[in-house]
Amino acid sequence: MRGLLRWPLLLLLLQPWETQLQFAGPRCSTGPLDLVFVIDSSRSVRPFEFETMRQFLVGLLRSLDVGPNATRVGVIQYSSQVQSVFPLRAFSRREDMERAIRALVPLAQGTMTGLAIQYAMNVAFSVAEGARPPEARVPRVAVIVTDGRPQDRVAEVAAQARARGIEIYAVGVQRADVGSLRAMASPPLNEHVFLVESFDLIQEFGRQFQGRLCRKDLCAQAGHGCQHQCVSALGTFHCACNPGYQLATDNKSCMAFDLCTEGDHGCEHHCVSIPGSYFCRCQAGFVLQQDQRRCRAVDHCSFGNHSCQHDCVSAFGGPQCRCREGYDLLPDGRSCQARDLCNGVDHGCEFQCVSEGFSYRCVCPEGRQLQADGKSCSRCREGHVDLVLLVDGSKSVRPQNFELVKRFVNQIVDFLDVSPEGTRVGLVQFSSRVRTEFPLGRYGTAAEVKQAVRAVEYMERGTMTGLALRHMVEHSFSEAQGARPRALNVPRVGLVFTDGRSQDNISVWAARAKEEGIVMYAVGVGKAVEEELREIASEPAELHVSYSPDFSTMTPLLENLKGSICPEEGIGAGTELRSPCECESLVEFQGRTLGALESLSQKLAQLTARLEDLENQLATQK
């Protein structure tokens, strides 16, 4: 990770111990600097680790130009409390500082890093403690060394310290929390956050830190490019401008303040800045009023040359024509023509919209009545359907979503005419196995069906859609399970609800279902596979496949299913219902009737033969 320094232990082992804490290079002149070390001496810092940190401080001091007019150094240690080892004003000689550091006794309690930062900000960097006053513009630098996670909050107090001009370096050792280090340090973080693997390797931070302090004053060199002022910082610089000027986008040159940016110019549209002043300007299609600030639109329609059949609207580019309600503008841009409102508004009709002059009305298909809202139609009251629902109960559905599926099934039941003579409903749940929750012939009312759906228990396990289709074809539509005889020509409808790819083959039994005359619908949710849905569904797939990306957004699918499952709207294998008086319907009815009569004649003949046999047996016994 950039900015977090990790150093291999091998480098340490290759150096003699007595040189490990000596930082290479001559002592550097940093210029005036107030430097405070904030040292973690909590109980988690072991004695030999604290000794290593003590040697680190001594070695770092030897690389600094220490003195009253150069670098002033202060040291504080903290655990559950904060202790000043020596303030910035205490010593001007390096030997005295080293003596105080070698006599340091760790506190060995908790880790209140936020408390230590608060103390450094309010006390250690105060003028009373030896810090130079703010007007002297002497950089203030705090180096925080810690090995653990703070037991108090650090982000807010660190932000306050940075706002007061304190530059913070955060050094984490071994067990330190990286997030806390980043919350404490000054930006950029890659230059102020250091992480070392052990106290033995902390001298590597010392070398890096020494390198940053020893960088030259870049403002003192030629070529910084600042037009007005150059402000030097540790290892870098930035440009500033004289009062009354602001820094340009190149961050070097300065320009006079733009009076339009002050926010009190009063221009309604645009403010145009000129040297020492400004003026107001209007957008295209507007003119400036007498106060030289507000704008008014140019009324092009007042010129009397618009030629609009209905209304004229003044726009930026000139006059534009507009038609009254119920009319559309023709391509010539002036003439108007009455329009079909059903094509021009969101009418909301469930079945069909009929335009009537400047208004419209909704109509319903034959056998269904318009509801009180004037838009929706009544339920399928004349429908005779045997409907079997195949519901995916695999583990990918999850219990909370399975409850949404059951609620969705009951919403389908709500618009069906459930009765023994009308629509019969059966429910099958499948996962790695198949279970008939209730067959077609069990319940005769919608309330009974909905109660049974609510009582269904989630199966979990796999997704064997092919096995479910086979069960539906072989069992669910049998007369033994409540399906009406094929001779009655009651439409058979299968609706498969799934959320994923089947773990077995569906092709054979999907095709077999359609060969058996079952009209198949496929409803997919989430990770359902479109190819499988289309293979399950009857043709055309656009009318028999529905999909929702999420279980909580399935409700819109109801409108598609409502318009499809009602027999009067064409559920009979995709064919339109015919009038019972049409020739084809009469022929079909005649064929069914003759077939029924023939079946009755055969049964009557069989009964007659049996009666004759009984009579012959009786006569023989006499």
Side-chain angles (χ1 to χ4, degrees):
M1 181 183 300
R2 185 181 178 186
L4 302 182
L5 305 179
R6 296 182 178 273
W7 303 92
L9 186 61
L10 181 61
L11 292 177
L12 176 69
L13 297 176
L14 292 176
Q15 303 177 47
W17 173 252
E18 61 270 17
T19 64
Q20 285 177 2
L21 298 179
Q22 302 298 321
F23 304 119
R27 194 175 299 126
C28 65
S29 176
T30 62
L33 175 68
D34 290 341
L35 176 62
V36 174
F37 291 95
V38 183
I39 305 303
D40 181 353
S41 65
S42 60
R43 68 174 65 94
S44 62
V45 181
R46 299 176 180 90
F48 74 91
E49 294 174 339
F50 192 83
E51 182 59 29
T52 302
M53 186 158 54
R54 192 198 314 271
Q55 296 298 327
F56 154 74
L57 290 177
V58 171
L60 187 57
L61 282 175
R62 293 176 180 176
S63 69
L64 299 176
D65 182 16
V66 176
N69 299 320
T71 300
R72 298 183 184 180
V73 178
V75 177
I76 63 177
Q77 67 168 337
Y78 72 96
S79 59
S80 296
Q81 57 183 329
V82 181
Q83 181 187 73
S84 175
V85 180
F86 57 87
L88 290 167
R89 60 177 167 76
F91 304 120
S92 59
R93 297 193 316 150
R94 188 177 300 102
E95 295 80 8
D96 296 331
M97 296 179 186
E98 292 182 10
R99 189 178 301 110
I101 292 173
R102 295 186 188 281
L104 186 61
V105 177
L107 300 173
Q109 296 174 359
T111 310
M112 304 295 284
T113 311
L115 182 65
I117 298 174
Q118 185 81 36
Y119 181 93
M121 175 176 63
N122 294 334
V123 179
F125 281 109
S126 67
V127 175
E129 291 285 293
R132 278 157 281 201
E135 56 268 20
R137 295 190 178 183
V138 174
R140 296 181 174 184
V141 177
V143 178
I144 302 172
V145 182
T146 180
D147 80 321
R149 181 188 298 272
Q151 295 175 343
D152 56 354
R153 297 182 178 179
V154 298
E156 182 177 352
V157 67
Q160 294 175 0
R162 295 193 299 268
R164 293 192 187 182
I166 300 173
E167 185 177 8
I168 300 177
Y169 287 81
V171 183
V173 182
Q174 200 168 10
R175 300 170 292 272
D177 177 58
V178 176
S180 300
L181 299 177
R182 295 174 66 88
M184 293 186 287
S186 296
L189 296 180
N190 64 322
E191 295 182 7
H192 292 81
V193 176
F194 297 81
L195 184 65
V196 294
E197 294 180 350
S198 70
F199 282 86
D200 296 333
L201 302 177
I202 198 171
Q203 75 278 5
E204 296 297 346
F205 161 71
R207 294 190 183 96
Q208 294 287 323
F209 184 65
Q210 178 189 4
R212 298 193 189 285
L213 292 182
C214 291
R215 289 175 181 170
K216 296 180 180 180
D217 183 358
L218 297 182
C219 285
Q221 303 180 19
H224 56 71
C226 296
Q227 182 179 355
H228 285 181
Q229 301 176 19
C230 177
V231 180
S232 181
L234 290 179
T236 185
F237 73 92
H238 66 272
C239 298
C241 296
N242 297 331
Y245 290 82
Q246 60 184 0
L247 204 60
T249 55
D250 62 0
N251 292 321
K252 294 181 180 296
S253 56
C254 298
M255 59 183 182
F257 281 121
D258 184 354
L259 295 178
C260 288
T261 63
E262 297 298 319
D264 57 354
H265 50 73
C267 297
E268 183 178 358
H269 285 181
H270 301 300
C271 176
V272 180
S273 183
I274 57 178
S277 185
Y278 68 92
F279 65 90
C280 299
R281 186 170 61 192
C282 297
Q283 298 173 0
F286 290 81
V287 293
L288 201 63
Q289 299 198 54
Q290 290 183 353
D291 61 5
Q292 298 300 305
R293 282 173 170 75
R294 292 180 298 164
C295 301
R296 62 176 175 83
V298 177
D299 187 3
H300 297 282
C301 293
S302 63
F303 301 155
N305 60 350
H306 51 75
S307 302
C308 296
Q309 181 180 350
H310 285 183
D311 301 324
C312 175
V313 178
S314 184
F316 297 152
Q320 292 185 359
C321 296
R322 184 174 63 189
C323 297
R324 293 190 290 271
E325 186 69 25
Y327 289 82
D328 291 317
L329 193 65
L330 293 179
D332 63 8
R334 292 177 173 81
S335 305
C336 299
Q337 176 178 288
R339 68 169 177 263
D340 183 353
L341 287 179
C342 291
N343 295 328
V345 299
D346 184 13
H347 52 76
C349 295
E350 179 182 345
F351 180 72
Q352 184 178 357
C353 173
V354 177
S355 183
E356 295 180 338
F358 299 126
S359 184
Y360 66 89
R361 62 184 176 88
C362 300
V363 296
C364 293
E366 184 178 356
R368 298 177 68 186
Q369 295 181 347
L370 195 64
Q371 300 290 78
D373 61 4
K375 298 181 182 295
S376 58
C377 300
S378 61
R379 299 188 302 171
C380 307
R381 291 299 180 188
E382 303 301 326
H384 299 287
V385 178
D386 285 346
L387 173 64
V388 175
L389 300 158
L390 272 64
V391 176
D392 187 347
S394 59
K395 62 183 177 182
S396 60
V397 175
R398 299 184 180 177
Q400 64 271 27
N401 289 331
F402 191 72
E403 292 301 315
L404 295 176
V405 173
K406 293 197 295 184
R407 187 184 307 171
F408 181 76
V409 169
N410 278 343
Q411 287 176 315
I412 295 175
V413 175
D414 279 336
F415 66 76
L416 298 175
D417 179 26
V418 178
S419 66
E421 296 77 21
T423 297
R424 298 183 183 180
V425 180
L427 180 66
V428 174
Q429 184 182 175
F430 66 93
S431 58
S432 297
R433 55 192 178 90
V434 182
R435 181 173 71 204
T436 298
E437 301 294 351
F438 53 86
L440 285 167
R442 178 167 297 176
Y443 300 116
T445 66
E448 292 174 339
V449 172
K450 292 173 68 175
Q451 183 177 356
V453 170
R454 286 191 289 268
V456 172
E457 295 183 357
Y458 180 38
M459 293 173 65
E460 296 195 47
R461 300 187 183 177
T463 309
M464 304 293 282
T465 313
L467 184 64
L469 291 170
R470 177 177 180 178
H471 180 89
M472 179 193 70
V473 172
E474 293 184 340
H475 302 287
S476 300
F477 283 107
S478 66
E479 293 183 31
Q481 297 235 334
R484 282 163 281 199
R486 290 189 179 276
L488 296 180
N489 287 327
V490 175
R492 296 183 172 183
V493 179
L495 192 154
V496 179
F497 188 100
T498 181
D499 83 320
R501 183 184 295 275
S502 176
Q503 295 173 345
D504 61 351
N505 186 276
I506 65 168
S507 302
V508 174
W509 290 100
R512 179 74 175 275
K514 286 172 273 191
E515 290 172 2
E516 293 287 333
I518 302 171
V519 180
M520 296 299 298
Y521 290 84
V523 177
V525 179
K527 297 182 180 179
V529 181
E530 180 182 359
E531 293 79 7
E532 288 192 358
L533 297 178
R534 298 177 74 91
E535 188 169 7
I536 292 171
S538 297
E539 294 291 341
E542 291 73 17
L543 299 179
H544 296 82
V545 174
S546 300
Y547 175 77
S548 175
D550 187 74
F551 284 91
S552 61
T553 58
M554 295 186 296
T555 303
L557 301 181
L558 287 171
E559 293 302 319
N560 295 335
L561 294 174
K562 185 185 297 185
S564 301
I565 293 180
C566 294
E568 62 269 22
E569 297 181 29
I571 197 170
T575 61
E576 296 182 358
L577 288 180
R578 299 190 298 271
S579 169
C581 296
E582 291 181 2
C583 179
E584 293 180 1
S585 295
L586 288 173
V587 171
E588 182 181 345
F589 174 75
Q590 183 180 9
R592 292 201 304 268
T593 303
L594 291 175
L597 289 174
E598 183 179 354
S599 177
L600 289 173
S601 297
Q602 292 176 356
K603 291 181 179 178
L604 182 60
Q606 292 174 356
L607 288 172
T608 302
R610 291 189 62 183
L611 287 173
E612 290 178 353
D613 290 340
L614 289 173
E615 290 176 354
N616 292 333
Q617 292 176 6
L618 290 173
T620 303
Q621 291 176 358
K622 290 180 180 180

